[in-house]
Structure formats: structure tokens, C-alpha cells
Amino acid sequence: MTGARTIRLRSLAVVGLLLVAVGCGRPSVLEVTEQDRPPTTAEADAAWTPDRIASDPDGYLQYADARISQQVAGREQRLAQLDQRRADIHQKSADLLQRVADAKNIHARLSTALQRAEDEERWPLKFAGRTFSREKAQSVLAALDSFQKAREPLAAAYREALAKIDGAQRTLRADMASLAQMREKLALDLERVRLNKGLAELADLRQTEAKLANFSATL
């Protein structure tokens, strides 16, 4: 009993110390201070002022090149996701179109058989190993018509989805081509900064950086 009481007293003492620490305004170990938060992309960009770029062009080139690589990687990942999505939709569309084509084929064959039976007054109708009355054959034709019409909106939706994916992929590939050109221009701008140390060169460089920031926002 004495040992259990001692343990309870120690536990209460620990809790009391924690409450005192909180009451005194001491930060919890789980709190993240402003200094611990990693800088955002915009903050990191702003840190590279024209003066800093002019004094450390190689450092800035490494920073911007990493940014470009990050943007390219993000678009490559998105392209892969769209490839998978496109394959899934294409398969569903192909399956649907095949079912519609089968329905059209059966409709055409049954229509021909029905017309022949009408011309020859030969009832009941034999078709695909089954026997049909005139009413039953007409009912099947109507059901086949309904089947095709009901799936027309879905087929159109599949076509629209594939077109949108194709457009998104074209945009991503164009972005990647632009980013490759931007990497080359960035290196050229920095070389001009090294040689001339001029404000005009720095202005061109900041324009390239603004374009890169726009890529970050649109991914």
C-alpha cells in the first residue's frame, strides 16, 4: 500500500510540474515555432534579391535549376497519372462501344429475319436458335433500340473525357518544353550577369524567375 501511494504521489507531482510549466507560458515540445517552419516557395524566391544574385550567380543557378527540376518532376508525375486515367477510360469506352456494336449487329440481323418472316408469312420466327412470335421479335428490336440510345450519352461522355485528358497532356508537355528552354535561358542570363554586372541583365533574370514562379502556381 505504501509503494502504491508513493507512485501516485510521484505521478501527481509530475502532472503538477507540467501544469506549472504551461501556466508560466513555456512552449510545449509539440509546438512548432515560426523559426522552425520551412520557408514557402515565394519566401525562398524573395530571398534571392538582385544583389544576392549578382554576388552569388552560381548559387542562384543551383537554386533555380532545382526549382525547374521540381517543376518537371511534378509534370512527369501528373502525366503518368493521366496516362493511367486515360487507359482506364479508353478501356471502358471500348467495352461500351463493343456492346453497342453487338446490339446493332443483332438488331440488323433480327430486322432482316423479321422482314423475311413477314414476307413469307412464316411464323413463329426462328432466330439464333430461338423461336420468336411477331410480337416478341418486335419487342426485342425495341429493347435493342433503347439499349443503344441509353448508352449514347455515356459514349459521348467518354469521348469528352478522353479529349480533356489529351488536352491536359499536351499542356503538360508544352510546359516541360518551356521549362527546358527556361533552364537554358537562365544559364545564359547568369553568364551575362557574371560578365557585365549590369542592372539590365538582372532585370532579364528576374523576368525568367517570374515565369518560373508562374509554373509553380499552375501545376
Side-chain angles (χ1 to χ4, degrees):
M1 292 294 294
T2 302
R5 182 181 180 186
T6 302
I7 292 174
R8 285 198 301 271
L9 289 174
R10 290 176 179 174
S11 300
L12 289 172
V14 171
V15 172
L17 288 173
L18 289 174
L19 291 174
V20 170
V22 172
C24 292
R26 297 177 183 174
S28 168
V29 294
L30 297 179
E31 292 179 356
V32 178
T33 64
E34 186 66 21
Q35 291 79 5
D36 294 330
R37 181 180 61 81
T40 64
T41 300
E43 291 170 344
D45 291 344
W48 283 96
T49 62
D51 289 341
R52 184 182 176 190
I53 293 173
S55 63
D56 186 14
D58 292 322
Y60 180 74
L61 178 59
Q62 292 178 4
Y63 167 77
D65 188 75
R67 284 278 310 284
I68 291 174
S69 296
Q70 182 184 33
Q71 292 301 310
V72 171
R75 281 161 176 78
E76 288 175 342
Q77 181 181 12
R78 182 62 178 152
L79 275 173
Q81 293 171 346
L82 288 175
D83 281 338
Q84 182 60 53
R85 183 61 179 153
R86 193 187 194 288
D88 293 342
I89 294 176
H90 178 75
Q91 184 61 54
K92 292 178 181 178
S93 177
D95 291 343
L96 175 68
L97 293 177
Q98 184 61 54
R99 293 196 300 273
V100 171
D102 291 343
K104 287 181 178 180
N105 180 49
I106 295 172
H107 188 282
R109 290 169 53 205
L110 182 56
S111 294
T112 300
L114 178 60
Q115 186 60 52
R116 185 181 298 115
E118 292 279 11
D119 294 340
E120 299 175 0
E121 287 293 331
R122 188 171 56 193
W123 297 101
L125 166 66
K126 299 289 186 180
F127 179 79
R130 300 180 62 182
T131 301
F132 295 86
S133 64
R134 179 186 285 107
E135 293 76 12
K136 181 63 175 177
Q138 291 173 342
S139 175
V140 171
L141 287 176
L144 289 169
D145 280 333
S146 297
F147 178 88
Q148 297 175 59
K149 291 178 181 179
R151 279 148 186 81
E152 287 175 359
L154 183 56
Y158 281 146
R159 289 193 297 270
E160 182 180 356
L162 289 172
K164 287 183 177 180
I165 289 176
D166 289 342
Q169 289 184 319
R170 284 194 298 271
T171 298
L172 288 169
R173 292 190 180 99
D175 284 353
M176 291 170 66
S178 297
L179 285 164
Q181 295 176 354
M182 187 178 297
R183 176 178 272 123
E184 296 176 359
K185 186 177 185 304
L186 191 63
L188 179 60
D189 289 343
L190 282 167
E191 188 61 32
R192 291 171 60 204
V193 169
R194 290 190 190 98
L195 292 174
N196 300 323
K197 303 291 185 181
L199 295 178
E201 288 74 16
L202 281 173
D204 290 341
L205 189 60
R206 296 305 291 178
Q207 289 180 359
T208 303
E209 168 59 26
K211 291 179 181 179
L212 178 55
N214 184 61
F215 274 105
S216 301
T218 58
L219 178 60

